[in-house]
Short mmCIF file of all heavy atoms in Angstrom, two decimals:
data_model
loop_
_atom_site.label_atom_id
_atom_site.label_comp_id
_atom_site.label_asym_id
_atom_site.label_seq_id
_atom_site.Cartn_x
_atom_site.Cartn_y
_atom_site.Cartn_z
N PHE A 105 98.38 46.55 43.35
CA PHE A 105 99.69 45.92 43.51
C PHE A 105 100.63 46.75 44.36
O PHE A 105 100.63 47.99 44.32
CB PHE A 105 100.36 45.72 42.14
CG PHE A 105 99.51 45.01 41.13
CD1 PHE A 105 99.63 45.30 39.78
CD2 PHE A 105 98.59 44.05 41.52
CE1 PHE A 105 98.86 44.64 38.85
CE2 PHE A 105 97.80 43.40 40.60
CZ PHE A 105 97.92 43.70 39.25
N ALA A 106 101.47 46.04 45.11
CA ALA A 106 102.61 46.67 45.75
C ALA A 106 103.83 46.44 44.86
O ALA A 106 103.89 45.46 44.13
CB ALA A 106 102.84 46.03 47.13
N PRO A 107 104.82 47.32 44.91
CA PRO A 107 106.04 47.08 44.14
C PRO A 107 106.68 45.77 44.58
O PRO A 107 106.58 45.38 45.75
CB PRO A 107 106.93 48.28 44.48
CG PRO A 107 105.99 49.33 44.96
CD PRO A 107 104.86 48.60 45.62
N CYS A 108 107.34 45.11 43.66
CA CYS A 108 108.05 43.89 44.02
C CYS A 108 109.12 44.23 45.05
O CYS A 108 109.73 45.31 45.00
CB CYS A 108 108.70 43.26 42.79
SG CYS A 108 107.50 42.63 41.61
N PRO A 109 109.39 43.31 45.99
CA PRO A 109 110.42 43.58 47.00
C PRO A 109 111.76 43.85 46.34
O PRO A 109 112.08 43.30 45.27
CB PRO A 109 110.45 42.29 47.82
CG PRO A 109 109.12 41.65 47.60
CD PRO A 109 108.71 42.03 46.22
N ASP A 110 112.54 44.70 46.96
CA ASP A 110 113.86 45.02 46.44
C ASP A 110 114.67 43.74 46.28
O ASP A 110 114.74 42.91 47.17
CB ASP A 110 114.60 45.98 47.39
CG ASP A 110 113.97 47.36 47.37
OD1 ASP A 110 113.28 47.66 46.37
OD2 ASP A 110 114.14 48.11 48.34
N GLY A 111 115.27 43.61 45.09
CA GLY A 111 116.14 42.47 44.87
C GLY A 111 115.41 41.17 44.56
O GLY A 111 116.03 40.14 44.38
N PHE A 112 114.10 41.20 44.47
CA PHE A 112 113.33 39.98 44.22
C PHE A 112 113.34 39.66 42.73
O PHE A 112 112.83 40.43 41.91
CB PHE A 112 111.89 40.15 44.71
CG PHE A 112 111.04 38.91 44.57
CD1 PHE A 112 111.20 37.85 45.45
CD2 PHE A 112 110.11 38.80 43.54
CE1 PHE A 112 110.42 36.71 45.32
CE2 PHE A 112 109.32 37.65 43.41
CZ PHE A 112 109.49 36.61 44.31
N ARG A 113 113.97 38.54 42.35
CA ARG A 113 113.97 38.07 40.97
C ARG A 113 114.39 39.18 40.00
O ARG A 113 113.66 39.51 39.07
CB ARG A 113 112.57 37.55 40.57
CG ARG A 113 112.04 36.47 41.46
CD ARG A 113 112.41 35.14 40.96
NE ARG A 113 112.04 34.08 41.89
CZ ARG A 113 111.91 32.83 41.54
NH1 ARG A 113 112.09 32.46 40.28
NH2 ARG A 113 111.61 31.93 42.44
N PRO A 114 115.58 39.75 40.14
CA PRO A 114 115.94 40.90 39.31
C PRO A 114 116.09 40.56 37.83
O PRO A 114 115.97 41.42 36.98
CB PRO A 114 117.29 41.35 39.92
CG PRO A 114 117.83 40.13 40.58
CD PRO A 114 116.64 39.34 41.05
N GLU A 115 116.30 39.28 37.50
CA GLU A 115 116.58 38.90 36.13
C GLU A 115 115.34 38.56 35.33
O GLU A 115 115.40 38.18 34.19
CB GLU A 115 117.52 37.69 36.12
CG GLU A 115 116.89 36.35 36.49
CD GLU A 115 116.44 36.20 37.94
OE1 GLU A 115 116.77 37.08 38.77
OE2 GLU A 115 115.74 35.23 38.26
N SER A 116 114.17 38.71 35.89
CA SER A 116 113.03 37.98 35.35
C SER A 116 112.15 38.72 34.33
O SER A 116 111.12 38.21 33.97
CB SER A 116 112.16 37.49 36.50
OG SER A 116 111.92 38.56 37.37
N GLY A 117 112.48 39.87 33.83
CA GLY A 117 111.65 40.52 32.80
C GLY A 117 110.34 41.01 33.36
O GLY A 117 109.27 40.70 32.84
N ALA A 118 110.43 41.79 34.43
CA ALA A 118 109.23 42.18 35.15
C ALA A 118 108.36 43.16 34.36
O ALA A 118 108.82 43.83 33.45
CB ALA A 118 109.64 42.80 36.49
N TRP A 119 107.10 43.24 34.78
CA TRP A 119 106.20 44.26 34.27
C TRP A 119 106.44 45.51 35.10
O TRP A 119 106.43 45.46 36.35
CB TRP A 119 104.74 43.80 34.43
CG TRP A 119 103.72 44.70 33.78
CD1 TRP A 119 103.27 44.61 32.51
CD2 TRP A 119 103.05 45.79 34.39
NE1 TRP A 119 102.34 45.60 32.26
CE2 TRP A 119 102.18 46.35 33.42
CE3 TRP A 119 103.09 46.40 35.65
CZ2 TRP A 119 101.37 47.44 33.65
CZ3 TRP A 119 102.27 47.49 35.90
CH2 TRP A 119 101.41 48.01 34.88
N GLU A 120 106.67 46.61 34.41
CA GLU A 120 107.02 47.83 35.13
C GLU A 120 106.03 48.94 34.82
O GLU A 120 105.45 49.01 33.73
CB GLU A 120 108.43 48.28 34.73
CG GLU A 120 109.53 47.33 35.17
CD GLU A 120 110.91 47.89 34.86
OE1 GLU A 120 111.01 49.05 34.41
OE2 GLU A 120 111.89 47.17 35.07
N ASP A 121 105.90 49.82 35.78
CA ASP A 121 105.12 51.04 35.58
C ASP A 121 105.92 52.17 36.24
O ASP A 121 106.22 52.10 37.45
CB ASP A 121 103.73 50.91 36.23
CG ASP A 121 102.87 52.12 35.95
OD1 ASP A 121 103.02 52.74 34.88
OD2 ASP A 121 102.03 52.47 36.82
N ASP A 122 106.27 53.17 35.43
CA ASP A 122 107.09 54.26 35.98
C ASP A 122 108.40 53.74 36.56
O ASP A 122 108.84 54.18 37.64
CB ASP A 122 106.33 54.97 37.11
CG ASP A 122 105.91 56.38 36.70
OD1 ASP A 122 106.34 56.85 35.62
OD2 ASP A 122 105.18 57.01 37.48
N SER A 123 108.98 52.77 35.87
CA SER A 123 110.26 52.16 36.28
C SER A 123 110.17 51.41 37.60
O SER A 123 111.22 51.08 38.19
CB SER A 123 111.37 53.22 36.38
OG SER A 123 111.52 53.89 35.17
N ILE A 124 108.98 51.14 38.06
CA ILE A 124 108.83 50.35 39.29
C ILE A 124 108.30 48.97 38.88
O ILE A 124 107.35 48.87 38.11
CB ILE A 124 107.84 51.02 40.28
CG1 ILE A 124 108.37 52.39 40.68
CG2 ILE A 124 107.62 50.14 41.51
CD1 ILE A 124 107.40 53.19 41.53
N ARG A 125 108.93 47.93 39.42
CA ARG A 125 108.57 46.55 39.08
C ARG A 125 107.36 46.12 39.90
O ARG A 125 107.40 46.16 41.12
CB ARG A 125 109.75 45.61 39.34
CG ARG A 125 111.00 45.96 38.53
CD ARG A 125 112.24 45.29 39.08
NE ARG A 125 112.28 43.88 38.77
CZ ARG A 125 112.28 42.91 39.68
NH1 ARG A 125 112.23 43.17 40.95
NH2 ARG A 125 112.34 41.65 39.30
N TYR A 126 106.32 45.69 39.18
CA TYR A 126 105.10 45.26 39.87
C TYR A 126 104.76 43.79 39.64
O TYR A 126 104.06 43.18 40.43
CB TYR A 126 103.90 46.12 39.43
CG TYR A 126 103.92 47.52 40.00
CD1 TYR A 126 104.39 48.59 39.24
CD2 TYR A 126 103.49 47.75 41.30
CE1 TYR A 126 104.41 49.88 39.77
CE2 TYR A 126 103.51 49.04 41.83
CZ TYR A 126 103.98 50.10 41.06
OH TYR A 126 104.00 51.36 41.59
N GLY A 127 105.22 43.24 38.53
CA GLY A 127 104.83 41.86 38.24
C GLY A 127 105.99 41.05 37.70
O GLY A 127 106.79 41.54 36.91
N ILE A 128 106.08 39.80 38.14
CA ILE A 128 107.11 38.86 37.67
C ILE A 128 106.44 37.83 36.78
O ILE A 128 105.41 37.26 37.18
CB ILE A 128 107.77 38.13 38.86
CG1 ILE A 128 108.25 39.12 39.92
CG2 ILE A 128 108.91 37.23 38.39
CD1 ILE A 128 109.34 40.04 39.45
N PRO A 129 106.96 37.54 35.58
CA PRO A 129 106.30 36.56 34.70
C PRO A 129 106.25 35.19 35.38
O PRO A 129 107.27 34.68 35.84
CB PRO A 129 107.21 36.50 33.47
CG PRO A 129 108.05 37.71 33.53
CD PRO A 129 108.19 38.08 34.97
N VAL A 130 105.05 34.63 35.49
CA VAL A 130 104.90 33.30 36.10
C VAL A 130 104.34 32.30 35.09
O VAL A 130 104.55 31.10 35.22
CB VAL A 130 104.01 33.38 37.36
CG1 VAL A 130 102.56 33.74 36.99
CG2 VAL A 130 104.04 32.09 38.15
N ILE A 131 103.56 32.78 34.11
CA ILE A 131 103.11 31.91 33.02
C ILE A 131 103.52 32.62 31.73
O ILE A 131 103.01 33.70 31.41
CB ILE A 131 101.59 31.68 33.04
CG1 ILE A 131 101.16 31.01 34.34
CG2 ILE A 131 101.16 30.84 31.84
CD1 ILE A 131 99.65 30.83 34.49
N ASN A 132 104.46 32.04 31.00
CA ASN A 132 104.97 32.64 29.79
C ASN A 132 104.80 31.61 28.67
O ASN A 132 105.42 30.56 28.70
CB ASN A 132 106.46 33.00 29.97
CG ASN A 132 106.99 33.77 28.78
OD1 ASN A 132 106.42 33.71 27.68
ND2 ASN A 132 108.08 34.48 28.97
N PRO A 133 103.96 31.91 27.66
CA PRO A 133 103.69 30.92 26.61
C PRO A 133 104.94 30.47 25.88
O PRO A 133 104.97 29.39 25.30
CB PRO A 133 102.73 31.64 25.66
CG PRO A 133 102.16 32.75 26.46
CD PRO A 133 103.18 33.14 27.47
N LEU A 134 105.99 31.32 25.91
CA LEU A 134 107.20 30.97 25.16
C LEU A 134 108.19 30.16 25.99
O LEU A 134 109.17 29.65 25.46
CB LEU A 134 107.90 32.26 24.68
CG LEU A 134 107.04 33.16 23.77
CD1 LEU A 134 107.80 34.43 23.40
CD2 LEU A 134 106.62 32.40 22.50
N ALA A 135 107.90 30.05 27.31
CA ALA A 135 108.87 29.37 28.16
C ALA A 135 108.66 27.86 28.11
O ALA A 135 107.56 27.38 27.85
CB ALA A 135 108.72 29.86 29.60
N ASP A 136 109.76 27.14 28.37
CA ASP A 136 109.65 25.68 28.43
C ASP A 136 109.03 25.23 29.74
O ASP A 136 108.28 24.26 29.78
CB ASP A 136 111.05 25.04 28.29
CG ASP A 136 111.62 25.29 26.90
OD1 ASP A 136 110.82 25.38 25.95
OD2 ASP A 136 112.86 25.41 26.78
N PHE A 137 109.38 25.91 30.82
CA PHE A 137 108.95 25.50 32.15
C PHE A 137 107.66 26.24 32.52
O PHE A 137 107.65 27.45 32.64
CB PHE A 137 110.07 25.80 33.16
CG PHE A 137 109.72 25.38 34.56
CD1 PHE A 137 109.39 24.06 34.85
CD2 PHE A 137 109.73 26.29 35.60
CE1 PHE A 137 109.08 23.65 36.14
CE2 PHE A 137 109.42 25.90 36.90
CZ PHE A 137 109.10 24.58 37.17
N GLN A 138 106.56 25.51 32.66
CA GLN A 138 105.25 26.11 32.98
C GLN A 138 104.66 25.37 34.19
O GLN A 138 103.81 24.51 34.04
CB GLN A 138 104.28 25.96 31.79
CG GLN A 138 104.75 26.54 30.50
CD GLN A 138 104.51 28.04 30.46
OE1 GLN A 138 104.41 28.70 31.49
NE2 GLN A 138 104.45 28.58 29.26
N PRO A 139 105.07 25.71 35.39
CA PRO A 139 104.64 24.93 36.56
C PRO A 139 103.14 25.02 36.83
O PRO A 139 102.57 24.11 37.41
CB PRO A 139 105.45 25.54 37.71
CG PRO A 139 105.82 26.91 37.25
CD PRO A 139 105.98 26.81 35.78
N LEU A 140 102.50 26.10 36.39
CA LEU A 140 101.09 26.28 36.75
C LEU A 140 100.13 25.82 35.67
O LEU A 140 98.91 25.88 35.84
CB LEU A 140 100.83 27.76 37.04
CG LEU A 140 101.46 28.30 38.33
CD1 LEU A 140 101.30 29.81 38.40
CD2 LEU A 140 100.82 27.66 39.54
N VAL A 141 100.65 25.35 34.56
CA VAL A 141 99.79 25.12 33.40
C VAL A 141 98.75 24.03 33.65
O VAL A 141 97.66 24.06 33.07
CB VAL A 141 100.65 24.78 32.15
CG1 VAL A 141 101.27 23.40 32.29
CG2 VAL A 141 99.84 24.88 30.88
N GLU A 142 99.04 23.08 34.55
CA GLU A 142 98.03 22.04 34.76
C GLU A 142 96.96 22.47 35.77
O GLU A 142 96.00 21.73 36.00
CB GLU A 142 98.68 20.74 35.22
CG GLU A 142 99.44 20.81 36.52
CD GLU A 142 100.11 19.48 36.84
OE1 GLU A 142 99.42 18.60 37.40
OE2 GLU A 142 101.29 19.33 36.51
N TYR A 143 97.11 23.66 36.34
CA TYR A 143 96.10 24.12 37.30
C TYR A 143 95.30 25.30 36.78
O TYR A 143 94.19 25.56 37.24
CB TYR A 143 96.78 24.55 38.61
CG TYR A 143 97.64 23.48 39.21
CD1 TYR A 143 99.02 23.51 39.05
CD2 TYR A 143 97.08 22.42 39.91
CE1 TYR A 143 99.82 22.51 39.57
CE2 TYR A 143 97.86 21.42 40.44
CZ TYR A 143 99.23 21.47 40.27
OH TYR A 143 100.02 20.48 40.79
N VAL A 144 95.86 26.03 35.81
CA VAL A 144 95.25 27.26 35.32
C VAL A 144 94.97 27.15 33.83
O VAL A 144 95.83 26.72 33.06
CB VAL A 144 96.18 28.48 35.57
CG1 VAL A 144 95.51 29.76 35.08
CG2 VAL A 144 96.54 28.59 37.04
N SER A 145 93.75 27.54 33.41
CA SER A 145 93.41 27.56 31.98
C SER A 145 93.80 28.94 31.44
O SER A 145 92.97 29.84 31.33
CB SER A 145 91.91 27.33 31.80
OG SER A 145 91.54 26.07 32.24
N PHE A 146 95.08 29.10 31.14
CA PHE A 146 95.53 30.43 30.74
C PHE A 146 95.37 30.62 29.23
O PHE A 146 95.32 29.66 28.45
CB PHE A 146 96.97 30.65 31.18
CG PHE A 146 97.98 29.78 30.47
CD1 PHE A 146 98.68 30.26 29.38
CD2 PHE A 146 98.22 28.48 30.88
CE1 PHE A 146 99.60 29.47 28.72
CE2 PHE A 146 99.15 27.69 30.23
CZ PHE A 146 99.84 28.19 29.14
N ASP A 147 95.33 31.89 28.82
CA ASP A 147 95.26 32.26 27.40
C ASP A 147 96.67 32.09 26.80
O ASP A 147 97.60 32.77 27.24
CB ASP A 147 94.79 33.70 27.29
CG ASP A 147 94.64 34.19 25.86
OD1 ASP A 147 95.20 33.54 24.95
OD2 ASP A 147 93.97 35.22 25.67
N PRO A 148 96.83 31.21 25.83
CA PRO A 148 98.19 30.93 25.33
C PRO A 148 98.83 32.11 24.60
O PRO A 148 100.02 32.08 24.31
CB PRO A 148 97.99 29.75 24.37
CG PRO A 148 96.54 29.76 24.05
CD PRO A 148 95.82 30.38 25.18
N SER A 149 98.07 33.16 24.32
CA SER A 149 98.66 34.31 23.63
C SER A 149 99.18 35.36 24.62
O SER A 149 99.73 36.39 24.19
CB SER A 149 97.63 34.96 22.71
OG SER A 149 96.58 35.51 23.47
N GLU A 150 98.98 35.13 25.94
CA GLU A 150 99.36 36.17 26.91
C GLU A 150 100.35 35.65 27.93
O GLU A 150 100.37 34.47 28.27
CB GLU A 150 98.11 36.63 27.67
CG GLU A 150 97.09 37.35 26.79
CD GLU A 150 96.51 38.55 27.50
OE1 GLU A 150 97.29 39.39 27.99
OE2 GLU A 150 95.27 38.65 27.55
N THR A 151 101.15 36.58 28.42
CA THR A 151 101.99 36.32 29.58
C THR A 151 101.21 36.69 30.83
O THR A 151 100.42 37.64 30.83
CB THR A 151 103.28 37.17 29.50
OG1 THR A 151 104.00 36.77 28.34
CG2 THR A 151 104.15 36.98 30.74
N TYR A 152 101.40 35.90 31.89
CA TYR A 152 100.75 36.19 33.17
C TYR A 152 101.82 36.55 34.19
O TYR A 152 102.89 35.93 34.24
CB TYR A 152 99.95 34.98 33.66
CG TYR A 152 98.70 34.71 32.85
CD1 TYR A 152 98.78 34.25 31.54
CD2 TYR A 152 97.43 34.91 33.41
CE1 TYR A 152 97.63 34.01 30.80
CE2 TYR A 152 96.29 34.67 32.68
CZ TYR A 152 96.40 34.22 31.37
OH TYR A 152 95.26 33.98 30.64
N TYR A 153 101.50 37.55 35.00
CA TYR A 153 102.46 38.06 35.97
C TYR A 153 102.02 37.79 37.39
O TYR A 153 100.81 37.88 37.72
CB TYR A 153 102.65 39.57 35.79
CG TYR A 153 103.31 39.96 34.49
CD1 TYR A 153 102.53 40.25 33.35
CD2 TYR A 153 104.69 40.01 34.38
CE1 TYR A 153 103.12 40.58 32.16
CE2 TYR A 153 105.30 40.35 33.17
CZ TYR A 153 104.51 40.64 32.06
OH TYR A 153 105.10 40.96 30.87
N LEU A 154 102.98 37.46 38.23
CA LEU A 154 102.73 37.29 39.66
C LEU A 154 102.97 38.65 40.32
O LEU A 154 104.05 39.23 40.17
CB LEU A 154 103.66 36.23 40.25
CG LEU A 154 103.48 35.97 41.75
CD1 LEU A 154 102.19 35.20 42.00
CD2 LEU A 154 104.67 35.20 42.31
N CYS A 155 101.97 39.12 41.05
CA CYS A 155 102.06 40.45 41.69
C CYS A 155 101.76 40.32 43.18
O CYS A 155 101.05 39.41 43.61
CB CYS A 155 101.05 41.41 41.06
SG CYS A 155 101.16 41.50 39.27
N PHE A 156 102.27 41.26 43.94
CA PHE A 156 102.05 41.29 45.39
C PHE A 156 100.93 42.28 45.70
O PHE A 156 100.88 43.37 45.12
CB PHE A 156 103.33 41.71 46.11
CG PHE A 156 104.45 40.72 45.97
CD1 PHE A 156 105.34 40.80 44.90
CD2 PHE A 156 104.62 39.71 46.90
CE1 PHE A 156 106.36 39.89 44.76
CE2 PHE A 156 105.66 38.81 46.79
CZ PHE A 156 106.53 38.88 45.71
N GLY A 157 100.07 41.91 46.62
CA GLY A 157 98.95 42.78 46.99
C GLY A 157 99.43 43.92 47.87
O GLY A 157 100.15 43.70 48.85
N LYS A 158 98.99 45.14 47.58
CA LYS A 158 99.45 46.29 48.39
C LYS A 158 98.80 46.28 49.77
O LYS A 158 99.28 46.93 50.68
CB LYS A 158 99.17 47.59 47.66
CG LYS A 158 97.74 48.04 47.61
CD LYS A 158 97.65 49.47 47.05
CE LYS A 158 96.22 49.95 46.91
NZ LYS A 158 95.36 49.77 48.05
N ASP A 159 97.70 45.53 49.94
CA ASP A 159 97.03 45.44 51.25
C ASP A 159 97.36 44.12 51.96
O ASP A 159 96.77 43.80 52.98
CB ASP A 159 95.52 45.57 51.10
CG ASP A 159 95.10 46.96 50.64
OD1 ASP A 159 95.83 47.92 50.95
OD2 ASP A 159 94.06 47.07 49.96
N SER A 160 98.31 43.38 51.42
CA SER A 160 98.65 42.09 52.03
C SER A 160 99.29 42.30 53.39
O SER A 160 100.13 43.20 53.58
CB SER A 160 99.62 41.33 51.12
OG SER A 160 100.12 40.18 51.78
N LEU A 161 98.91 41.45 54.35
CA LEU A 161 99.51 41.49 55.67
C LEU A 161 100.76 40.62 55.74
O LEU A 161 101.35 40.44 56.81
CB LEU A 161 98.49 41.02 56.72
CG LEU A 161 97.23 41.87 56.85
CD1 LEU A 161 96.29 41.28 57.90
CD2 LEU A 161 97.57 43.31 57.21
N HIS A 162 101.13 40.06 54.60
CA HIS A 162 102.26 39.14 54.59
C HIS A 162 103.38 39.64 53.69
O HIS A 162 104.15 38.85 53.15
CB HIS A 162 101.77 37.75 54.13
CG HIS A 162 100.69 37.19 55.00
ND1 HIS A 162 100.92 36.73 56.27
CD2 HIS A 162 99.35 37.09 54.80
CE1 HIS A 162 99.78 36.34 56.81
NE2 HIS A 162 98.80 36.54 55.94
N MET A 163 103.46 40.94 53.54
CA MET A 163 104.56 41.57 52.83
C MET A 163 105.23 42.54 53.76
O MET A 163 104.63 43.55 54.17
CB MET A 163 104.04 42.32 51.60
CG MET A 163 104.16 41.57 50.32
SD MET A 163 104.16 42.66 48.91
CE MET A 163 105.86 43.23 48.93
N ALA A 164 106.48 42.25 54.11
CA ALA A 164 107.22 43.17 54.97
C ALA A 164 107.25 44.52 54.28
O ALA A 164 107.55 44.62 53.09
CB ALA A 164 108.63 42.65 55.18
N GLY A 165 106.95 45.56 54.98
CA GLY A 165 106.91 46.89 54.39
C GLY A 165 105.50 47.39 54.20
O GLY A 165 105.27 48.60 54.14
N ASN A 166 104.50 46.49 54.10
CA ASN A 166 103.10 46.91 54.02
C ASN A 166 102.60 47.30 55.41
O ASN A 166 103.05 46.76 56.43
CB ASN A 166 102.21 45.78 53.49
CG ASN A 166 102.25 45.68 51.99
OD1 ASN A 166 103.01 46.40 51.34
ND2 ASN A 166 101.45 44.78 51.43
N ALA A 167 101.65 48.21 55.45
CA ALA A 167 101.07 48.63 56.74
C ALA A 167 100.41 47.44 57.42
O ALA A 167 99.65 46.70 56.79
CB ALA A 167 100.04 49.73 56.50
N GLY A 168 100.74 47.22 58.70
CA GLY A 168 100.11 46.14 59.46
C GLY A 168 100.64 44.76 59.16
O GLY A 168 100.10 43.77 59.65
N ALA A 169 101.74 44.67 58.40
CA ALA A 169 102.26 43.35 58.00
C ALA A 169 102.69 42.55 59.23
O ALA A 169 103.28 43.08 60.16
CB ALA A 169 103.43 43.51 57.05
#
Side-chain angles (χ1 to χ4, degrees):
Chain A
F105 308 149
C108 292
D110 290 339
F112 183 76
R113 304 269 173 160
E115 75 291 351
S116 50
W119 187 90
E120 294 185 6
D121 184 32
D122 249 352
S123 304
I124 299 174
R125 300 164 75 242
Y126 287 99
I128 309 296
V130 67
I131 299 176
N132 187 339
L134 301 178
D136 293 329
F137 181 58
Q138 304 278 24
L140 290 172
V141 71
E142 61 183 276
Y143 305 101
V144 181
S145 296
F146 67 97
D147 182 343
S149 66
E150 294 222 52
T151 297
Y152 289 69
Y153 293 92
L154 180 73
C155 308
F156 295 88
K158 74 171 177 49
D159 292 331
S160 171
L161 297 179
H162 302 288
M163 261 202 80
N166 279 5

